[in-house]
Amino acid sequence: MDIYRSGIRPVLFSGLNVDSEWLHHQTMDLLSWLNRQGDHPPASWIQSQFQRSCCFSDTRLEQKLWGLNFSNPVGLAAGFDKDGVAAGVWASFGFGFAELGTVTLQAQAGNPRPRLFRLPADQAVLNRMGFNNQGAAAMAARLSSSPPHLPVVDDPEAVTDRNIPIGINLGKSKVTPLEEAAADYLGSFQLLKDLGDYFVVNVSSPNTPGLRSLQDAGQLATILDALQQENQNSKPILVKIAPDLEWEAISQAIEVAKQYRLAGIIATNTTIRRDTLKTELLSQTGKSVKEEAGGISGFPLKQRSTEVIRFIWQQTEGQLAIIGTGGVFTAEDAWEKITAGASLLEVYTGFVYEGPWMVRRILAGLLQKLEERGLGNISEAVGLEGGKG
């Protein structure tokens, strides 16, 4: 029996109706403490208990992308650990990698509260956080003083339970004008480039005014040009796109990704669509959900994000790596995105609803699907159904 789904979640979501952001902060405070005290009891004992119950390991789930070793394809999406305070803990929950951020060059408080809402009827979350974070310099100082992992290398003796790839998601500071966006992203990258295993250019959040306009091919090219000149291709750089783009705009983003030799695309960010939602009113504000600003994540995003993954796979003939995110709750959801063309997956809302044993269930289910189809490795499933419209 899963105590989180059967006991804890109903109390938090319905019984106590705890504020989503307050609960998230309490969770991150605990995980931050575990991260700081990880090698000392009782934190070390707690982490070992999570490892025993949450982790699932099998060589058939391993992949190598961009020279990095991924023990499994399920990672933590950006937005959960905005400041990297728990970077060393995520492997204990079974994740194959974790993406920190979104981090901006300037520290910022984000949008006014309330700004984070659960929509249980839709298995969704509405957020308009606005890239609240302590800034790139603070993240750099934290990761430098307490590295989340050993270098990700091929030497098996160097690999530890905590040794998972760490990505860093970069956003634009709200105070920075759009025409100066490239310099803003570059400043964050310069501070963090030696501390992340891969980097993501986030131009698709709906919660920073004008940010999504940077997905335009010309604007995006300016940002990527600045980053790649600094990067000299030594670190994988990806771009994260919105699910609400038209196919032509996605095609243009793909062409820019190819032009600047990006490592891949993350598909997708949250959606601004409301037409499929069952939830009508937000009890916290008394307003119609259609009137509330912010992006929707979770189940309502599932189909569209898979469609975008399949489109990218088809357009690139599988030559550009895809990280799929949006509506992953179960092994079936994960399999759908992998066979559409995603090499890796990220979860956020699913983790909120399904709890700490979610990753283990997904990985066990993926392994079962490999066995049913006679496949020897998860990489053989990538794009298996990608050619089907």
Side-chain angles (χ1 to χ4, degrees), residues 19-50:
D19 175 72
S20 300
E21 187 169 355
W22 180 87
L23 181 59
H24 186 82
H25 277 301
Q26 300 308 305
T27 301
M28 293 311 301
D29 284 347
L30 172 60
L31 295 179
S32 176
W33 174 77
L34 287 175
N35 189 68
R36 296 191 308 271
Q37 302 293 323
D39 294 329
H40 308 286
S44 57
W45 180 85
I46 294 172
Q47 285 207 59
S48 70
Q49 297 306 304
F50 276 123

mmCIF file of all heavy atoms in Angstrom, residues 19-50:
data_model
loop_
_atom_site.group_PDB
_atom_site.id
_atom_site.type_symbol
_atom_site.label_atom_id
_atom_site.label_comp_id
_atom_site.label_asym_id
_atom_site.label_seq_id
_atom_site.Cartn_x
_atom_site.Cartn_y
_atom_site.Cartn_z
ATOM 1 N N ASP A 19 -2.155 25.189 1.791
ATOM 2 C CA ASP A 19 -1.713 26.038 0.685
ATOM 3 C C ASP A 19 -0.551 25.366 -0.051
ATOM 4 O O ASP A 19 0.418 24.916 0.562
ATOM 5 C CB ASP A 19 -1.269 27.397 1.219
ATOM 6 C CG ASP A 19 -0.684 28.277 0.134
ATOM 7 O OD1 ASP A 19 -1.436 28.757 -0.717
ATOM 8 O OD2 ASP A 19 0.555 28.443 0.132
ATOM 9 N N SER A 20 -0.664 25.315 -1.363
ATOM 10 C CA SER A 20 0.302 24.578 -2.181
ATOM 11 C C SER A 20 1.722 25.110 -2.017
ATOM 12 O O SER A 20 2.673 24.338 -1.877
ATOM 13 C CB SER A 20 -0.100 24.634 -3.658
ATOM 14 O OG SER A 20 -1.364 24.060 -3.862
ATOM 15 N N GLU A 21 1.879 26.415 -2.065
ATOM 16 C CA GLU A 21 3.234 26.974 -1.982
ATOM 17 C C GLU A 21 3.814 26.798 -0.590
ATOM 18 O O GLU A 21 5.008 26.497 -0.449
ATOM 19 C CB GLU A 21 3.239 28.452 -2.375
ATOM 20 C CG GLU A 21 4.645 29.008 -2.455
ATOM 21 C CD GLU A 21 4.732 30.386 -3.083
ATOM 22 O OE1 GLU A 21 3.694 30.904 -3.561
ATOM 23 O OE2 GLU A 21 5.841 30.953 -3.098
ATOM 24 N N TRP A 22 2.998 26.966 0.449
ATOM 25 C CA TRP A 22 3.497 26.734 1.816
ATOM 26 C C TRP A 22 3.982 25.303 1.972
ATOM 27 O O TRP A 22 5.065 25.058 2.531
ATOM 28 C CB TRP A 22 2.384 27.020 2.828
ATOM 29 C CG TRP A 22 2.817 26.814 4.248
ATOM 30 C CD1 TRP A 22 3.417 27.712 5.068
ATOM 31 C CD2 TRP A 22 2.707 25.588 5.005
ATOM 32 N NE1 TRP A 22 3.688 27.140 6.299
ATOM 33 C CE2 TRP A 22 3.265 25.833 6.283
ATOM 34 C CE3 TRP A 22 2.200 24.322 4.728
ATOM 35 C CZ2 TRP A 22 3.317 24.858 7.274
ATOM 36 C CZ3 TRP A 22 2.256 23.346 5.715
ATOM 37 C CH2 TRP A 22 2.802 23.612 6.974
ATOM 38 N N LEU A 23 3.191 24.358 1.464
ATOM 39 C CA LEU A 23 3.571 22.953 1.568
ATOM 40 C C LEU A 23 4.856 22.673 0.806
ATOM 41 O O LEU A 23 5.725 21.937 1.280
ATOM 42 C CB LEU A 23 2.438 22.072 1.031
ATOM 43 C CG LEU A 23 2.663 20.555 1.075
ATOM 44 C CD1 LEU A 23 2.898 20.100 2.509
ATOM 45 C CD2 LEU A 23 1.463 19.827 0.468
ATOM 46 N N HIS A 24 4.994 23.291 -0.368
ATOM 47 C CA HIS A 24 6.220 23.101 -1.151
ATOM 48 C C HIS A 24 7.430 23.630 -0.388
ATOM 49 O O HIS A 24 8.481 22.988 -0.356
ATOM 50 C CB HIS A 24 6.100 23.795 -2.509
ATOM 51 C CG HIS A 24 7.254 23.539 -3.418
ATOM 52 N ND1 HIS A 24 7.366 22.398 -4.194
ATOM 53 C CD2 HIS A 24 8.387 24.249 -3.661
ATOM 54 C CE1 HIS A 24 8.491 22.434 -4.872
ATOM 55 N NE2 HIS A 24 9.134 23.550 -4.566
ATOM 56 N N HIS A 25 7.291 24.781 0.229
ATOM 57 C CA HIS A 25 8.402 25.348 1.000
ATOM 58 C C HIS A 25 8.788 24.440 2.166
ATOM 59 O O HIS A 25 9.988 24.261 2.462
ATOM 60 C CB HIS A 25 8.041 26.743 1.515
ATOM 61 C CG HIS A 25 8.249 27.828 0.513
ATOM 62 N ND1 HIS A 25 9.459 28.107 -0.067
ATOM 63 C CD2 HIS A 25 7.373 28.713 -0.034
ATOM 64 C CE1 HIS A 25 9.346 29.110 -0.913
ATOM 65 N NE2 HIS A 25 8.086 29.495 -0.922
ATOM 66 N N GLN A 26 7.795 23.878 2.853
ATOM 67 C CA GLN A 26 8.097 22.978 3.962
ATOM 68 C C GLN A 26 8.847 21.742 3.465
ATOM 69 O O GLN A 26 9.814 21.278 4.091
ATOM 70 C CB GLN A 26 6.801 22.546 4.673
ATOM 71 C CG GLN A 26 5.998 23.689 5.255
ATOM 72 C CD GLN A 26 6.830 24.595 6.151
ATOM 73 O OE1 GLN A 26 7.465 24.130 7.101
ATOM 74 N NE2 GLN A 26 6.831 25.880 5.839
ATOM 75 N N THR A 27 8.409 21.222 2.341
ATOM 76 C CA THR A 27 9.078 20.060 1.744
ATOM 77 C C THR A 27 10.521 20.394 1.384
ATOM 78 O O THR A 27 11.444 19.622 1.678
ATOM 79 C CB THR A 27 8.323 19.600 0.482
ATOM 80 O OG1 THR A 27 6.983 19.272 0.825
ATOM 81 C CG2 THR A 27 8.999 18.397 -0.150
ATOM 82 N N MET A 28 10.726 21.552 0.736
ATOM 83 C CA MET A 28 12.075 21.925 0.321
ATOM 84 C C MET A 28 12.975 22.223 1.514
ATOM 85 O O MET A 28 14.185 21.962 1.465
ATOM 86 C CB MET A 28 12.023 23.120 -0.622
ATOM 87 C CG MET A 28 11.378 22.827 -1.981
ATOM 88 S SD MET A 28 12.029 21.335 -2.800
ATOM 89 C CE MET A 28 13.764 21.755 -2.921
ATOM 90 N N ASP A 29 12.420 22.750 2.589
ATOM 91 C CA ASP A 29 13.224 22.973 3.799
ATOM 92 C C ASP A 29 13.749 21.650 4.344
ATOM 93 O O ASP A 29 14.923 21.542 4.741
ATOM 94 C CB ASP A 29 12.387 23.678 4.867
ATOM 95 C CG ASP A 29 12.197 25.160 4.585
ATOM 96 O OD1 ASP A 29 12.910 25.692 3.709
ATOM 97 O OD2 ASP A 29 11.327 25.780 5.230
ATOM 98 N N LEU A 30 12.887 20.630 4.351
ATOM 99 C CA LEU A 30 13.311 19.311 4.818
ATOM 100 C C LEU A 30 14.374 18.715 3.898
ATOM 101 O O LEU A 30 15.408 18.205 4.356
ATOM 102 C CB LEU A 30 12.106 18.377 4.897
ATOM 103 C CG LEU A 30 12.414 16.903 5.198
ATOM 104 C CD1 LEU A 30 13.117 16.765 6.541
ATOM 105 C CD2 LEU A 30 11.141 16.071 5.164
ATOM 106 N N LEU A 31 14.144 18.799 2.605
ATOM 107 C CA LEU A 31 15.100 18.232 1.651
ATOM 108 C C LEU A 31 16.417 18.998 1.669
ATOM 109 O O LEU A 31 17.490 18.414 1.480
ATOM 110 C CB LEU A 31 14.493 18.237 0.249
ATOM 111 C CG LEU A 31 13.269 17.346 0.054
ATOM 112 C CD1 LEU A 31 12.741 17.459 -1.364
ATOM 113 C CD2 LEU A 31 13.598 15.888 0.380
ATOM 114 N N SER A 32 16.337 20.305 1.892
ATOM 115 C CA SER A 32 17.560 21.104 2.005
ATOM 116 C C SER A 32 18.383 20.663 3.210
ATOM 117 O O SER A 32 19.619 20.554 3.137
ATOM 118 C CB SER A 32 17.197 22.589 2.131
ATOM 119 O OG SER A 32 18.359 23.381 2.334
ATOM 120 N N TRP A 33 17.705 20.387 4.301
ATOM 121 C CA TRP A 33 18.405 19.884 5.498
ATOM 122 C C TRP A 33 19.054 18.534 5.212
ATOM 123 O O TRP A 33 20.214 18.303 5.581
ATOM 124 C CB TRP A 33 17.405 19.771 6.651
ATOM 125 C CG TRP A 33 17.996 19.127 7.873
ATOM 126 C CD1 TRP A 33 18.837 19.701 8.786
ATOM 127 C CD2 TRP A 33 17.824 17.762 8.275
ATOM 128 N NE1 TRP A 33 19.186 18.774 9.741
ATOM 129 C CE2 TRP A 33 18.581 17.580 9.460
ATOM 130 C CE3 TRP A 33 17.100 16.699 7.764
ATOM 131 C CZ2 TRP A 33 18.635 16.356 10.124
ATOM 132 C CZ3 TRP A 33 17.144 15.477 8.423
ATOM 133 C CH2 TRP A 33 17.902 15.315 9.588
ATOM 134 N N LEU A 34 18.326 17.648 4.532
ATOM 135 C CA LEU A 34 18.905 16.354 4.170
ATOM 136 C C LEU A 34 20.127 16.531 3.289
ATOM 137 O O LEU A 34 21.124 15.807 3.414
ATOM 138 C CB LEU A 34 17.871 15.491 3.440
ATOM 139 C CG LEU A 34 16.743 14.886 4.269
ATOM 140 C CD1 LEU A 34 15.761 14.168 3.359
ATOM 141 C CD2 LEU A 34 17.296 13.929 5.326
ATOM 142 N N ASN A 35 20.066 17.504 2.386
ATOM 143 C CA ASN A 35 21.172 17.752 1.472
ATOM 144 C C ASN A 35 22.412 18.235 2.227
ATOM 145 O O ASN A 35 23.528 17.776 1.968
ATOM 146 C CB ASN A 35 20.749 18.796 0.438
ATOM 147 C CG ASN A 35 21.750 18.973 -0.680
ATOM 148 O OD1 ASN A 35 21.956 18.078 -1.498
ATOM 149 N ND2 ASN A 35 22.398 20.126 -0.727
ATOM 150 N N ARG A 36 22.202 19.131 3.176
ATOM 151 C CA ARG A 36 23.327 19.687 3.936
ATOM 152 C C ARG A 36 23.918 18.674 4.901
ATOM 153 O O ARG A 36 25.128 18.648 5.126
ATOM 154 C CB ARG A 36 22.880 20.932 4.720
ATOM 155 C CG ARG A 36 22.435 22.096 3.855
ATOM 156 C CD ARG A 36 22.283 23.366 4.698
ATOM 157 N NE ARG A 36 21.453 23.160 5.870
ATOM 158 C CZ ARG A 36 20.135 23.316 5.897
ATOM 159 N NH1 ARG A 36 19.490 23.644 4.777
ATOM 160 N NH2 ARG A 36 19.460 23.141 7.012
ATOM 161 N N GLN A 37 23.066 17.826 5.480
ATOM 162 C CA GLN A 37 23.514 16.900 6.514
ATOM 163 C C GLN A 37 23.642 15.466 5.994
ATOM 164 O O GLN A 37 23.737 14.529 6.786
ATOM 165 C CB GLN A 37 22.509 16.907 7.676
ATOM 166 C CG GLN A 37 22.297 18.257 8.303
ATOM 167 C CD GLN A 37 23.534 18.747 9.018
ATOM 168 O OE1 GLN A 37 24.266 17.975 9.632
ATOM 169 N NE2 GLN A 37 23.796 20.044 8.924
ATOM 170 N N GLY A 38 23.650 15.310 4.675
ATOM 171 C CA GLY A 38 23.519 13.996 4.056
ATOM 172 C C GLY A 38 24.450 12.904 4.543
ATOM 173 O O GLY A 38 24.067 11.731 4.583
ATOM 174 N N ASP A 39 25.670 13.250 4.930
ATOM 175 C CA ASP A 39 26.635 12.233 5.360
ATOM 176 C C ASP A 39 26.619 11.992 6.864
ATOM 177 O O ASP A 39 27.408 11.198 7.371
ATOM 178 C CB ASP A 39 28.049 12.645 4.925
ATOM 179 C CG ASP A 39 28.202 12.640 3.416
ATOM 180 O OD1 ASP A 39 27.524 11.828 2.749
ATOM 181 O OD2 ASP A 39 28.991 13.456 2.900
ATOM 182 N N HIS A 40 25.731 12.658 7.560
ATOM 183 C CA HIS A 40 25.700 12.551 9.016
ATOM 184 C C HIS A 40 24.319 12.075 9.478
ATOM 185 O O HIS A 40 23.303 12.472 8.917
ATOM 186 C CB HIS A 40 26.005 13.911 9.664
ATOM 187 C CG HIS A 40 27.262 14.545 9.164
ATOM 188 N ND1 HIS A 40 28.514 14.113 9.527
ATOM 189 C CD2 HIS A 40 27.451 15.581 8.296
ATOM 190 C CE1 HIS A 40 29.428 14.851 8.925
ATOM 191 N NE2 HIS A 40 28.816 15.744 8.175
ATOM 192 N N PRO A 41 24.291 11.209 10.521
ATOM 193 C CA PRO A 41 22.996 10.778 11.059
ATOM 194 C C PRO A 41 22.323 11.959 11.759
ATOM 195 O O PRO A 41 23.012 12.836 12.290
ATOM 196 C CB PRO A 41 23.391 9.676 12.049
ATOM 197 C CG PRO A 41 24.831 9.916 12.369
ATOM 198 C CD PRO A 41 25.429 10.580 11.166
ATOM 199 N N PRO A 42 20.973 11.987 11.743
ATOM 200 C CA PRO A 42 20.068 10.978 11.184
ATOM 201 C C PRO A 42 19.757 11.158 9.695
ATOM 202 O O PRO A 42 19.060 10.353 9.113
ATOM 203 C CB PRO A 42 18.792 11.182 12.011
ATOM 204 C CG PRO A 42 18.783 12.659 12.286
ATOM 205 C CD PRO A 42 20.223 13.042 12.481
ATOM 206 N N ALA A 43 20.284 12.252 9.088
ATOM 207 C CA ALA A 43 19.972 12.524 7.682
ATOM 208 C C ALA A 43 20.435 11.386 6.780
ATOM 209 O O ALA A 43 19.745 11.008 5.831
ATOM 210 C CB ALA A 43 20.604 13.843 7.248
ATOM 211 N N SER A 44 21.615 10.845 7.068
ATOM 212 C CA SER A 44 22.136 9.757 6.234
ATOM 213 C C SER A 44 21.233 8.530 6.316
ATOM 214 O O SER A 44 21.017 7.833 5.307
ATOM 215 C CB SER A 44 23.558 9.400 6.669
ATOM 216 O OG SER A 44 23.584 9.035 8.044
ATOM 217 N N TRP A 45 20.677 8.263 7.501
ATOM 218 C CA TRP A 45 19.778 7.117 7.665
ATOM 219 C C TRP A 45 18.477 7.351 6.892
ATOM 220 O O TRP A 45 17.970 6.447 6.223
ATOM 221 C CB TRP A 45 19.470 6.899 9.145
ATOM 222 C CG TRP A 45 18.547 5.735 9.383
ATOM 223 C CD1 TRP A 45 18.881 4.422 9.497
ATOM 224 C CD2 TRP A 45 17.118 5.805 9.517
ATOM 225 N NE1 TRP A 45 17.755 3.650 9.693
ATOM 226 C CE2 TRP A 45 16.660 4.467 9.714
ATOM 227 C CE3 TRP A 45 16.193 6.834 9.501
ATOM 228 C CZ2 TRP A 45 15.315 4.163 9.890
ATOM 229 C CZ3 TRP A 45 14.856 6.528 9.671
ATOM 230 C CH2 TRP A 45 14.430 5.209 9.857
ATOM 231 N N ILE A 46 17.953 8.577 6.983
ATOM 232 C CA ILE A 46 16.715 8.895 6.274
ATOM 233 C C ILE A 46 16.904 8.724 4.776
ATOM 234 O O ILE A 46 16.066 8.123 4.079
ATOM 235 C CB ILE A 46 16.257 10.334 6.599
ATOM 236 C CG1 ILE A 46 15.864 10.439 8.074
ATOM 237 C CG2 ILE A 46 15.082 10.747 5.705
ATOM 238 C CD1 ILE A 46 15.592 11.853 8.535
ATOM 239 N N GLN A 47 18.023 9.234 4.255
ATOM 240 C CA GLN A 47 18.274 9.091 2.821
ATOM 241 C C GLN A 47 18.421 7.635 2.413
ATOM 242 O O GLN A 47 17.954 7.222 1.352
ATOM 243 C CB GLN A 47 19.527 9.873 2.409
ATOM 244 C CG GLN A 47 19.307 11.370 2.360
ATOM 245 C CD GLN A 47 20.243 12.064 1.383
ATOM 246 O OE1 GLN A 47 20.256 11.764 0.199
ATOM 247 N NE2 GLN A 47 21.037 12.993 1.895
ATOM 248 N N SER A 48 19.057 6.847 3.269
ATOM 249 C CA SER A 48 19.220 5.422 2.941
ATOM 250 C C SER A 48 17.870 4.712 2.899
ATOM 251 O O SER A 48 17.661 3.807 2.079
ATOM 252 C CB SER A 48 20.149 4.744 3.955
ATOM 253 O OG SER A 48 19.529 4.644 5.232
ATOM 254 N N GLN A 49 16.940 5.145 3.753
ATOM 255 C CA GLN A 49 15.602 4.549 3.729
ATOM 256 C C GLN A 49 14.852 4.908 2.442
ATOM 257 O O GLN A 49 14.174 4.069 1.845
ATOM 258 C CB GLN A 49 14.792 5.006 4.952
ATOM 259 C CG GLN A 49 15.376 4.564 6.278
ATOM 260 C CD GLN A 49 15.619 3.058 6.342
ATOM 261 O OE1 GLN A 49 14.694 2.263 6.140
ATOM 262 N NE2 GLN A 49 16.858 2.674 6.586
ATOM 263 N N PHE A 50 14.992 6.151 2.020
ATOM 264 C CA PHE A 50 14.391 6.543 0.743
ATOM 265 C C PHE A 50 15.001 5.752 -0.412
ATOM 266 O O PHE A 50 14.296 5.296 -1.310
ATOM 267 C CB PHE A 50 14.580 8.044 0.505
ATOM 268 C CG PHE A 50 13.545 8.902 1.177
ATOM 269 C CD1 PHE A 50 13.916 9.900 2.072
ATOM 270 C CD2 PHE A 50 12.191 8.727 0.914
ATOM 271 C CE1 PHE A 50 12.966 10.693 2.692
ATOM 272 C CE2 PHE A 50 11.229 9.508 1.528
ATOM 273 C CZ PHE A 50 11.615 10.493 2.418
#
